[in-house]
Amino acid sequence: MNHSELAAFLKCRRDRIRPVDVGLPTGPRRRVPGLRREEVAQLAGLSADYYTELERGRGAQPSVQVVAALARALRLNGDERDHLFHLADRPVPSSTQGSTAHVQPALLGLLDRLTTTPAQVITDLHETVVQNELAAALIGRASVVRGPAASFVYRWFTDPDSRSLYPKEDHPHHSRVFVADLHAVAARRARDTDVTQMVAELRQRSQEFAALWDTHDVALRRADHKRLVHPTLGIIELDCHSLFSEDGRQRLLWFTAPPGTKGAAQLELLSVIGTQDMAVGEDVFRP
């Protein structure tokens, strides 16, 4: 690991980002050209002390997850992100590798601006990459599991607890939608072993999945109406929208409700209570 080069690269990229680029207020007393160290740490989900040590060329080697979080916080492009992984002496993950995937810049830019509605970026296998605080408050923070179980579709058919945030009577609908969506993804990524292996394992482990897969229904999940079971607010009816990246491998999801509806009022209340009551919902659901 090249501590000095890593430190210099982090500082250089921090200096070039304006607070407005990442949804932070400029403020009258800002003395640095870009972000403060504590702001980068906050955006990456790290302690300020840990990030400061990295910028000073000291501290432990950052994990793959930390490097990916720093790349997102510093809004690095693809080449810069790979360079950061090399400086940290970590293997560069693939573009669809769960929480370490590199978010498409256009999607991340939009996510930065969605501050009043729950939103997150997922891969085409429904692995959460990054989410805003309202999304964490609504559906729980992104799961830290790795491997096939990082995919919510995989967990949906293999872990009954993963379904707890949907009313039971809605489960058949979501099962059909998930399988039809995966059918479209699998056809496009027929040579990717992570997809083919997931489908093969799901066919073995879930009779429900196998039966639905054999119907050959195909439909990318572009929009849906959902009822979510929130531990504090009860059932919330929302519309879920999707915006696809150019290559189709990532999606920006955001949740809305028509003005004047109960769902809209619940979203307003959600912004007040935040994540304070969400301990029971952590790692439960990734739409």
Side-chain angles (χ1 to χ4, degrees):
M1 172 177 166
N2 193 328
H3 287 84
S4 61
E5 285 295 324
L6 176 63
F9 187 66
L10 290 173
K11 184 180 186 306
C12 176
R13 290 304 177 265
R14 173 171 65 85
D15 288 344
R16 75 175 185 175
I17 300 177
R18 300 174 303 167
V20 68
D21 294 335
V22 293
L24 294 174
T26 301
R29 298 183 179 179
R30 184 170 294 272
R31 299 178 179 177
V32 295
L35 298 181
R36 301 185 181 100
R37 287 172 174 170
E38 58 267 26
E39 290 171 335
V40 174
Q42 178 184 356
L43 290 169
L46 307 173
S47 73
D49 289 342
Y50 177 77
Y51 179 76
T52 298
E53 287 297 292
L54 287 178
E55 261 205 26
R56 289 176 176 171
R58 300 195 293 265
Q61 182 185 22
S63 67
V64 169
Q65 289 72 32
V66 167
V67 179
L70 286 171
R72 288 194 289 269
L74 295 170
R75 303 313 190 248
L76 303 184
N77 62 34
D79 292 335
E80 292 169 335
R81 176 254 196 179
D82 292 352
H83 182 63
L84 184 63
F85 271 91
H86 292 312
L87 291 178
D89 196 23
R90 293 295 187 182
V92 178
S94 71
S95 60
T96 58
Q97 202 164 326
S99 63
T100 61
H102 185 58
V103 184
Q104 299 288 336
L107 297 187
L108 190 56
L110 287 173
L111 181 65
D112 287 338
R113 288 158 177 77
L114 292 174
T115 58
T116 61
T117 191
Q120 63 182 15
V121 177
I122 67 172
T123 71
D124 56 359
L125 296 182
H126 294 256
E127 303 160 307
T128 300
V129 182
V130 62
Q131 60 186 171
N132 64 18
E133 284 301 306
L134 279 177
L138 177 65
I139 58 180
R141 294 202 179 275
S143 175
V144 296
V145 297
R146 301 289 176 260
S151 163
F152 182 68
V153 174
Y154 182 90
R155 297 200 306 277
W156 177 262
F157 290 101
T158 59
D159 178 10
D161 290 340
S162 68
R163 301 189 176 198
S164 63
L165 216 67
Y166 284 134
K168 188 174 182 179
E169 55 270 28
D170 296 349
H171 291 180
H173 163 75
H174 292 296
S175 293
R176 291 192 299 272
V177 170
F178 279 133
V179 174
D181 183 271
L182 184 58
H183 241 307
V185 172
R188 188 179 68 245
R189 297 178 55 189
R191 297 181 181 179
D192 292 352
T193 56
D194 56 338
V195 181
T196 56
Q197 289 176 357
M198 176 184 292
V199 171
E201 186 168 345
L202 285 175
R203 286 181 64 89
Q204 290 182 344
R205 295 191 57 178
S206 170
Q207 292 182 352
E208 179 190 21
F209 177 88
L212 288 171
W213 189 261
D214 289 341
T215 66
H216 296 279
D217 289 339
V218 178
L220 287 173
R221 192 173 195 171
R222 293 185 171 88
D224 203 355
H225 185 76
K226 296 183 177 184
R227 297 193 303 157
L228 307 179
V229 181
H230 188 274
T232 302
L233 302 178
I235 294 179
I236 309 176
E237 289 199 36
L238 299 172
D239 295 316
C240 180
H241 310 274
S242 299
L243 177 66
F244 290 69
S245 63
E246 187 174 354
D247 62 5
R249 293 199 171 198
Q250 291 184 358
R251 307 170 186 184
L252 173 65
L253 306 183
W254 69 99
F255 299 86
T256 63
T261 63
K262 181 180 178 181
Q266 288 170 307
L267 284 184
E268 287 288 336
L269 184 56
L270 183 71
S271 67
V272 176
I273 65 174
T275 58
Q276 61 187 9
D277 295 324
M278 288 304 298
V280 295
E282 298 229 349
D283 300 342
V284 172
F285 172 66
R286 304 270 68 81

